[in-house]
Amino acid sequence: MEARRIEKYDKTRTNMLIGVALGITFFFSSNIFEEYFQGAIMEGVLTFIEIAGSCILLFCVLRLVHIKLLIRKNPALKAALKNEWILNNLQKARAQAFFFVFFSLIMSYFINLHSSVPALLLMKICILVAILSVLISFVFFNREQ
Amino acid sequence: MDKKQLSNQIKVFRAKNNLTQESLAYKIGVTRKTINTIENGVFVPSVILAIKLARVFEISVEELFNWEEENGMISKNS
């Protein structure tokens, strides 16, 4: 029974991380495109995508916090869901995210040599790349082998 | 240590002891996917985890894990 709970929470956590990645993508990308697409219809569509992204993000973050509170009560569950393989994957994901952000900054530098890139846009892209690369890398490393 | 050179008999001993990956994972306090990656040689476990695995099967770590030399010679405890 306890083993099933561990697997259930592990799977739920993975699904919620994917949800967070989707939510952040919708939210940030619509935020970025809002400055470049004008017109009532486009603005309406982008606003809808932004709200949908926010809702998905909020739901998934709350669910992750809920899982964390649930497993905190059970030390065995907590130890299993933070075992060395998972911590190893997290470390690899963070390292990979650093290189993704570094690469995107290098790309932005070279693009900026030819056309001016607004600083706010660059920041949004870097934040999006950083968060997405950690989440996607972690889910990738944490997959069934 | 090259992961490809480290082999293990976890699957064999699991079958002998009638244990699923899930039940073995629960016994040593990890997830089933962790056992799966160790079994497939994708992840090299720490010494502590290797000892925990060996203790479940009541064998030594050397019986459970095997490391081959790069030139193909088997390096076992003599």
Side-chain angles (χ1 to χ4, degrees):
Chain A
M1 189 69 186
E2 195 75 357
R4 291 287 158 97
R5 278 180 75 199
I6 292 170
E7 298 312 312
K8 179 189 153 193
Y9 286 137
D10 190 32
K11 194 169 183 182
T12 306
R13 182 172 62 183
T14 305
N15 291 339
M16 291 304 115
L17 287 174
I18 294 168
V20 167
L22 275 171
I24 288 234
T25 305
F26 288 153
F27 180 79
F28 266 98
S29 51
S30 58
N31 209 283
I32 289 167
F33 288 130
E34 257 173 11
E35 295 174 29
Y36 298 96
F37 289 98
Q38 310 297 328
I41 297 170
M42 274 313 291
E43 279 181 20
V45 168
L46 289 172
T47 305
F48 174 76
I49 293 171
E50 201 171 330
I51 292 169
S54 311
C55 292
I56 294 168
L57 183 61
L58 188 65
F59 171 76
C60 293
V61 166
L62 288 174
R63 190 82 175 94
L64 281 169
V65 169
H66 180 237
I67 290 169
K68 190 161 185 169
L69 290 172
L70 281 173
I71 66 175
R72 193 181 275 189
K73 292 178 189 173
N74 190 329
L77 209 61
K78 188 181 173 184
L81 289 168
K82 279 182 88 172
N83 69 74
E84 61 185 57
W85 179 64
I86 291 170
L87 291 174
N88 187 45
N89 292 339
L90 189 58
Q91 192 180 18
K92 284 197 293 185
R94 284 172 180 162
Q96 201 156 73
F98 166 77
F99 285 106
F100 272 113
V101 172
F102 186 63
F103 180 68
S104 64
L105 282 170
I106 300 283
M107 287 287 289
S108 307
Y109 171 75
F110 282 111
I111 292 168
N112 205 32
L113 290 176
H114 298 283
S115 60
S116 166
V117 178
L120 189 61
L121 174 64
L122 186 62
M123 265 170 43
K124 286 179 185 175
I125 291 172
C126 282
I127 290 168
L128 184 60
V129 166
I131 296 172
L132 275 184
S133 51
V134 167
L135 291 172
I136 294 170
S137 299
F138 180 70
V139 168
F140 177 75
F141 291 134
N142 217 32
R143 73 192 191 284
E144 191 82 33
Q145 305 273 350
Chain B
M1 186 183 291
D2 188 0
K3 287 177 212 173
K4 291 175 189 171
Q5 295 169 342
L6 184 70
S7 59
N8 63 75
Q9 309 291 315
I10 296 173
K11 200 168 186 175
V12 170
F13 283 102
R14 265 201 311 113
K16 278 184 184 174
N17 291 271
N18 213 22
L19 286 171
T20 60
Q21 284 184 342
E22 203 172 289
S23 49
L24 176 60
Y26 178 64
K27 279 179 182 284
I28 62 168
V30 296
T31 59
R32 186 194 55 80
K33 276 192 277 186
T34 306
I35 296 295
N36 184 250
T37 53
I38 296 171
E39 236 178 66
N40 294 334
V42 174
F43 176 64
V44 177
S46 66
V47 171
I48 294 169
L49 196 51
I51 290 172
K52 281 182 181 178
L53 280 164
R55 279 186 183 171
V56 168
F57 302 125
E58 293 172 358
I59 55 173
S60 66
V61 174
E62 287 82 2
E63 283 180 79
L64 191 57
F65 292 94
N66 187 28
W67 180 52
E68 287 186 8
E69 294 284 357
E70 272 187 22
N71 56 8
M73 286 172 56
I74 295 170
S75 171
K76 272 188 174 176
N77 288 338
S78 53

